[in-house]
Structure formats: C-alpha cells, structure tokens
Amino acid sequence: MVTAADPGETRTSVWLSPGHGAPARRRSEAPSGLDRDRITGATVRLLDAEGLARFSMRRLAAGLGVTAMSLYWYVDTKHDLLELALDRALGELPLPRTASAAPAVPADPPARARARVFAPADPAAEGWPGRLRALACGYRRLLAEHPWVAALTAAYPNIGPHARAFDSALQRLLDATGLAGACRTGAHLAVSQFLHGCGGAARRAPDGDFALALDVLIAGIEAKAAARPGT
C-alpha cells in the first residue's frame, strides 16, 4: 500500500515496513536519551500546541534538545513519524464494550490518563445504540482535542494497531445491529463517514446539532434493522 506524501511522490505506510519502519542502523550509534516512543509523544504535543501546518522535524528536534538529524535514527521520514503520532492519538480513545466485556484500557500511561476524560458512563447497558453514541461522542472529543487527527486520517491509510482496534470495535458494534449483506455494508459506510465527518465540524457544530444528527443516524440503522433484519 502506498500513500500520498508530497506532490508527485508515493510512499509505503510505516505500518507495512519491516519492523514498522525502524531505520536499519546500529543501535550503539544512536544518540543517547532518545527513543521512538519519546519522539512520538513529543510529536503529539507539538502538533497539539502549534498545529500541523507549523510542524517540522527541526522544530520537534529543538523541543527535544537534539539536532534534527538525530531523529532520523528512529524514523526514516517525517511522514512515518506523523503516522506514528496519529495512531498514538487514537490510542487515547476508550472503545465501547459489550455488556460482558471488561473495559478496554490503553496500554501506555499517558493514554490511560487521557482516557478518563473520554470515558462514557456505561454504554454497554444501552445496547449497540448506546455503544455507537459513546464511540461517536468520544471520537468527536478526540478530534476537538487533537484537530490535526482529521487531516492525517485523510492523508494516511490509518492502519496502525489502535486504528485497527477502533475498526474492530466498530465491526462488533455493527454485528449487534443484526444487519447483513448490503445493509450491513451501507451501515458501516454511513457510520464511518459520520465519524470522520466530525473532523471538520468538531469545533463548529453545537453539541445539540451533533446529538440530533447522531440520533438520526441511529434511527436510520434501527429502522433498516427492523424492516429487513437479514438483508
């Protein structure tokens, strides 16, 4: 899989590269005090503070107190690092669970701390509609917290581990609707477009308008499931 990088160029996703794109250099020669996890976390913070348009490897390196070339011991390109930052941000979003499942807890401490901000009350008790509301509202808050995520989701294939976990949660949610075939495909497309469409309106649309649009989406899926549950 290749993705757009700069005009006239293509690139392979960092997630499809051997070792997730870690440069083939001797670790003993790498600068001390750095690792890919620290660099990725600093990238997220810089994007939050200054935005995607102002992001550069030079500005990132200055914040870490190293030279820009030092970063290339851990990533091959800026695009690889942006993909890593995108998946790191998605890891902050708790995923809806079924009534019998334990709550998903992000693996790394910063994500666990931020997850408490996005955690819903108990959507599992409300069935798939409650889980869909929790997923959509949490994703909207995540996009408001990290406005650059929407742009990167459109620019890159978004196939990191947290993105795949997000899609798996959405698939389980759609399983619970009882839809199949073309109706299931249509529901998946409608939900995906709704979630990703939150990016442009995350800071503009009033909460009431967003909630109404979400209610309409859920009502449409419910009506389709009630009318033709097996199609």
Side-chain angles (χ1 to χ4, degrees), residues 23-214:
R25 303 184 178 106
R26 287 185 295 173
R27 180 62 61 186
S28 61
E29 297 177 358
S32 62
L34 284 181
D35 56 46
R36 178 177 279 195
D37 186 69
R38 182 185 173 200
I39 294 170
T40 301
T43 300
V44 171
R45 292 190 294 274
L46 181 59
L47 288 166
D48 287 345
E50 302 194 10
L52 183 58
R54 289 176 56 82
F55 178 82
S56 70
M57 298 296 271
R58 190 179 302 276
R59 295 175 74 85
L60 176 63
L64 288 168
V66 299
T67 65
M69 289 304 299
S70 299
L71 303 178
Y72 292 102
W73 286 94
Y74 303 94
V75 291
D76 279 326
T77 70
K78 179 178 76 172
H79 297 286
D80 288 353
L81 185 52
L82 290 175
E83 277 198 84
L84 294 170
L86 171 60
D87 201 68
R88 170 70 67 86
L90 291 175
E92 298 174 6
L93 177 63
L95 300 177
R97 58 190 177 90
T98 61
S100 60
V105 178
D108 53 293
R112 285 200 300 271
R114 298 177 71 89
R116 288 192 289 271
V117 177
F118 301 125
D122 186 16
E126 301 177 30
W128 70 261
R131 288 154 54 200
L132 178 53
R133 285 191 180 89
L135 185 68
C137 292
Y139 194 70
R140 171 178 162 90
R141 288 191 293 269
L142 182 69
L143 291 177
E145 186 76 13
H146 304 296
W148 48 271
V149 164
L152 294 189
T153 298
Y156 298 120
N158 204 14
I159 53 174
H162 290 119
R164 294 197 305 270
F166 181 91
D167 189 64
S168 293
L170 178 55
Q171 295 293 348
R172 291 192 299 271
L173 189 156
L174 291 172
D175 287 342
T177 68
L179 292 173
C183 287
R184 161 66 181 264
T185 301
H188 183 266
L189 178 62
V191 172
S192 296
Q193 291 296 320
F194 181 86
L195 292 176
H196 295 306
C198 293
R203 295 194 172 203
R204 294 197 303 268
D207 288 343
D209 291 351
F210 174 82
L212 177 60
L214 181 55

Side-chain angles (χ1 to χ4, degrees), residues 1-3 12-21 83 157 159 164:
M1 182 183 298
V2 294
T3 60
T12 301
S13 168
V14 67
W15 301 110
L16 297 180
S17 301
H20 290 163
E83 277 198 84
I159 53 174
R164 294 197 305 270

